[in-house]
Amino acid sequence: MFGIGTPELIIILIVALLVIGPKKLPDIAKALGRALGEFRRATDELKENIDLGSMERWTQTTPPAPEHPADKKAAEPETATDSTPDQKAE
């Protein structure tokens, strides 16, 4: 996830244990886990609201797509045209 491997994680835990102490470390880890969980829930809710809101606005304000001129020509039957002018019968 962050590019932290097992050796780096072990070093971080050892340093945290030395700095914070064995008595406070579980409490701090629990509080950190709860904070991260709450942050994840809040960001997921925000993403969902943004996605739903933008989708509702898009469907309400987007007009139907105009037809492309080439599509109209393909749909219309071609009429036969003579390239030679009409000649009068003598």
Side-chain angles (χ1 to χ4, degrees), residues 67-78:
E67 292 184 21
H68 193 272
D71 294 340
K72 286 185 178 180
K73 289 181 183 177
E76 295 174 358
E78 293 186 22

Side-chain angles (χ1 to χ4, degrees), residues 50-69:
I50 289 172
D51 288 343
L52 290 176
S54 65
M55 195 59 137
E56 288 174 359
R57 274 186 268 126
W58 184 79
T59 55
Q60 291 173 356
T61 60
T62 305
E67 292 184 21
H68 193 272

Side-chain angles (χ1 to χ4, degrees), residues 24-65:
K24 293 273 185 176
L25 191 61
D27 295 334
I28 291 174
K30 187 186 297 184
L32 184 62
R34 286 180 183 165
L36 287 174
E38 182 65 30
F39 180 73
R40 182 176 293 166
R41 280 190 293 275
T43 55
D44 288 345
E45 183 179 334
L46 182 64
K47 286 179 188 176
E48 184 178 324
N49 287 339
I50 289 172
D51 288 343
L52 290 176
S54 65
M55 195 59 137
E56 288 174 359
R57 274 186 268 126
W58 184 79
T59 55
Q60 291 173 356
T61 60
T62 305

